[in-house]
C-alpha cells in the first residue's frame, strides 16, 4: 500500500507497474523453490529464475503509470513488478519533492509470502 503525502504533477516520477506480473513472478518462484524444503529456501539461488521471469514480464505485460495525489492510495500485490518512471520535462512537486509512504504486509514465513493470494 502506497499513500501519497503531497501533490506532484502526473509526470513527477510516477510509480509504474506491469499488469499481471505477479502471476508470472509467482509461477517462476514456485517452480524454482518447489523442489526444495521450505526450510532451505533461504539458501536456494533464485537469480536465474527471477531474471528470466522479469524478462517475460517486460515482454508480455503492459506497463502502466499509477500517479497519485495527496491522500490517494495505491494497492499492489506483493509480487507485482514495479518501479519509478523518470521525471518528465515539466514535472513539479512541492518542496522537498514527491513523498509517498509505503506499507508492506508482515508475513510469518517466505512460504506464506509466496503462497497466499
Amino acid at each position: 500500500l502506497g499513500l501519497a503525502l503531497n501533490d506532484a504533477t502526473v509526470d513527477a516520477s510516477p510509480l509504474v507497474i506491469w499488469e499481471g506480473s505477479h502471476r508470472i513472478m509467482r509461477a517462476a518462484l514456485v517452480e524454482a523453490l518447489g523442489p526444495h524444503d521450505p526450510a532451505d529456501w533461504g539458501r536456494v539461488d533464485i537469480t536465474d529464475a527471477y531474471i528470466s521471469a522479469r524478462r517475460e514480464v517486460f515482454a508480455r505485460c503492459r506497463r502502466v503509470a499509477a500517479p497519485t495525489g495527496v491522500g490517494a492510495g495505491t494497492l499492489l500485490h506483493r509480487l507485482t513488478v514495479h518501479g519509478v518512471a523518470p521525471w518528465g520535462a515539466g514535472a513539479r512537486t512541492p518542496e522537498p519533492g514527491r513523498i509517498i509512504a509505503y506499507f508492506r504486509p508482515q508475513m510469518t514465513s517466505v512460504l506464506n509470502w509466496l503462497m497466499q493470494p
Side-chain angles (χ1 to χ4, degrees), residues 10-34:
V10 173
D11 55 351
S13 196
L15 172 72
V16 292
I17 62 169
W18 280 262
E19 283 184 334
S21 61
H22 63 290
R23 292 181 190 96
I24 293 169
M25 298 305 294
R26 173 177 283 162
L29 294 173
V30 166
E31 183 178 338
L33 294 170

Side-chain angles (χ1 to χ4, degrees), residues 54-69:
R54 284 180 56 93
R55 188 174 295 122
E56 181 179 350
V57 163
F58 297 142
R60 293 184 42 208
C61 298
R62 184 169 73 106
R63 178 184 176 268
V64 178
T68 61

Side-chain angles (χ1 to χ4, degrees), residues 16-99:
V16 292
I17 62 169
W18 280 262
E19 283 184 334
S21 61
H22 63 290
R23 292 181 190 96
I24 293 169
M25 298 305 294
R26 173 177 283 162
L29 294 173
V30 166
E31 183 178 338
L33 294 170
H36 306 278
D37 185 318
D40 296 328
W41 283 5
R43 293 181 291 279
V44 177
D45 184 355
I46 60 169
T47 303
D48 291 341
Y50 182 80
I51 290 170
S52 178
R54 284 180 56 93
R55 188 174 295 122
E56 181 179 350
V57 163
F58 297 142
R60 293 184 42 208
C61 298
R62 184 169 73 106
R63 178 184 176 268
V64 178
T68 61
V70 68
T74 305
L75 184 63
L76 301 179
H77 187 280
R78 64 190 162 277
L79 294 175
T80 298
V81 175
H82 62 284
V84 179
W87 281 78
R92 296 181 316 282
T93 65
E95 287 297 326
R98 182 181 70 98
I99 302 174

